Amino acid sequence: MREDHFEARLVRRLATLREQRGLSLEELANASGISRATLSRLERGESSPTAALLGKLCTVYGLPMSRLIAAVEEQGAQLIRAAEQAVWTDPASGFVRRMVSPPAQGLRAELVEGTLPAGAVIDYKQPAVRGMEQHLWMLSGVLHYTLEGVEYRLEAGDCLRFRLFGPTRFVCPGPQPARYLIAVIEP
């Protein structure tokens, strides 16, 4: 799946979510903490959404990022080949997110592969959906993952299971990228 085509659909989906909820840009700016100007540029396709920005919008809309991504993907088969999986790159951090699970409505669990470049940091002030269960399994590299003020050093093969209620932070100290798989289970 071409990344630029996917991003254009993602931006359209974000505008649709705002309109469906009857929110003005000003109201969404106030609810999300994102400036009205940034939201406007985003909806016009003049800027690319970052992981932090998507996290804030998903919090306002009350849906996990994986559900936002799934809504943008082509719906269909139970099998999705690696070359067809939706890939999104955060322009701010270089973080690459691959939706491993085939898109599906009505199912609660999804697999997401993340690759965070050496030196990159991503902060989420709050989860999009409180109480969401996640399993973070390290595939390669090292990741410092902070969950509600507690930092975990994760290396290849380590798996951290938790429910999201507060802030999180992803830090890749390097020298290699941190590559991991997250199982996301909605409450």
Side-chain angles (χ1 to χ4, degrees), residues 64-169:
M65 197 179 306
S66 59
R67 283 288 169 211
L68 171 64
I69 301 295
V72 173
E73 292 181 294
E74 307 292 337
Q75 296 295 314
Q78 293 177 311
L79 171 66
I80 187 166
R81 304 284 180 198
E84 299 166 341
Q85 294 167 358
V87 176
W88 172 76
T89 302
D90 178 2
S93 67
F95 167 67
V96 177
R97 179 186 184 98
R98 175 183 297 278
M99 288 300 300
V100 177
S101 296
Q105 300 296 327
L107 299 177
R108 293 184 11 212
E110 296 180 329
L111 296 177
V112 178
E113 177 187 357
T115 304
L116 193 61
V121 177
I122 299 176
D123 287 302
Y124 295 104
K125 293 185 184 206
Q126 59 184 331
V129 177
R130 289 181 54 78
M132 185 169 40
E133 180 181 353
Q134 293 191 354
H135 304 240
L136 194 158
W137 181 41
M138 286 300 297
L139 301 172
S140 62
V142 174
L143 179 70
H144 293 181
Y145 181 71
T146 304
L147 175 66
E148 298 178 31
V150 178
E151 184 179 302
Y152 299 89
R153 178 184 167 87
L154 303 171
E155 299 178 12
D158 294 348
C159 185
L160 180 64
R161 181 180 186 167
F162 51 92
R163 287 197 182 273
L164 281 177
F165 290 101
T168 56
R169 171 176 258 216

Side-chain angles (χ1 to χ4, degrees), residues 11 33 40 43-44 61 63 67 87 97 138 157 176:
V11 167
S40 179
E43 286 191 9
R44 290 192 313 265
Y61 297 137
L63 74 148
R67 283 288 169 211
V87 176
R97 179 186 184 98
M138 286 300 297
Q176 286 82 30

